[in-house]
Amino acid sequence: MEVGEIYEWASDNNRHLRKYHGKLCIYMGEDVIERPDNVVITNHRVMMLGDKEIIIDRTCLKYLYRVKNKK
């Protein structure tokens, strides 16, 4: 995953993420949370094009496919 790259969701087989299927987003990088008990949680931040920013965990990354530049 590269920060600033555009990705397309291919999540039609996942009932929780189906609403994003076929939509584009920009990968904005990791979103790290450090809890008071010293547990570090690494999530990922994406900006849905024309919509809002969402936070996802690493299990959702497999549904994002990089959109290649067409020249």
Side-chain angles (χ1 to χ4, degrees):
M1 303 296 297
E2 291 186 39
V3 174
E5 290 292 326
I6 297 176
Y7 291 85
E8 181 175 358
W9 286 89
S11 55
D12 61 340
N13 293 327
N14 182 301
R15 67 183 173 109
H16 300 291
L17 299 173
R18 189 173 293 141
K19 63 184 173 185
Y20 300 123
H21 180 70
K23 295 187 178 181
L24 299 176
C25 66
I26 298 174
Y27 180 72
M28 298 176 64
E30 293 182 346
D31 185 53
V32 179
I33 300 169
E34 187 171 340
R35 297 188 333 202
D37 59 356
N38 293 325
V39 173
V40 176
I41 300 167
T42 303
N43 289 316
H44 300 269
R45 187 178 300 267
V46 296
M47 173 68 76
M48 300 302 294
L49 293 183
D51 203 356
K52 60 185 176 195
E53 187 176 305
I54 61 172
I55 303 294
I56 57 176
D57 67 13
R58 64 180 172 78
T59 63
C60 297
L61 296 178
K62 65 185 173 188
Y63 297 107
L64 295 176
Y65 292 89
R66 187 170 165 186
V67 175
K68 297 191 189 302
N69 291 334
K70 296 178 181 172
K71 295 182 180 182

